[in-house]
Amino acid sequence: MEATPTAIETKRGLCTLINVFTVEPERREELVKLLEEATEQVMRHLPGFVSANIHRGLEGTRVANYAQWASREHFEAMLRDPEAQKHMRAAAALVSRFEPHLYEVVSTHQRRAP
């Protein structure tokens, strides 16, 4: 099965999680790997999961997770999943701070081809 790329569109009505983690530079790659494993092993198999994208900050101390869920209810169900909770606790133990917030896409803009 071929993966569908993340689509950021106003009409999809998805629940978007943007979680920014602050981590010591020497633990950053460990956090990235943990988030990748959590996504592959658990998150992508849960009902309502749409996509996840892990971003490594260029300044060396941040990692961001941009994830899409079919609805807020699906996201909240993931938070109650015991396997997901294990991974979230492991990530929290690696970082000095994390800031998860839910969003809805209200506007998108692209450069138009000439």
Side-chain angles (χ1 to χ4, degrees), residues 16-17 21 33 39 44 47-48 53 61 75 84 86 96 98 101:
T16 301
L17 166 71
F21 300 87
K33 183 175 171 131
T39 301
R44 71 185 193 99
N53 303 272
T61 63
F75 172 78
K86 278 199 293 192
S96 60
F98 56 96
H101 297 281

Side-chain angles (χ1 to χ4, degrees), residues 14-87:
L14 301 176
C15 177
T16 301
L17 166 71
I18 300 175
N19 194 353
V20 179
F21 300 87
T22 303
V23 62
E24 293 298 321
E26 62 273 8
R27 311 270 338 243
R28 187 177 68 167
E29 291 310 311
E30 185 179 358
L31 176 61
V32 167
K33 183 175 171 131
L34 175 68
L35 294 173
E36 290 174 337
E37 289 173 357
T39 301
E40 282 300 310
Q41 295 171 10
V42 178
M43 305 303 180
R44 71 185 193 99
H45 302 286
L46 295 175
F49 174 83
V50 176
S51 68
N53 303 272
I54 312 303
H55 304 262
R56 183 175 35 232
L58 298 179
E59 86 302 325
T61 63
R62 289 194 183 81
V63 174
N65 179 12
Y66 179 98
Q68 297 175 317
W69 292 86
S71 68
R72 184 179 194 145
E73 293 74 24
H74 284 101
F75 172 78
E76 290 172 352
M78 175 277 295
L79 293 177
R80 295 187 298 272
D81 182 87
E83 288 300 310
Q85 288 177 358
K86 278 199 293 192
H87 287 283

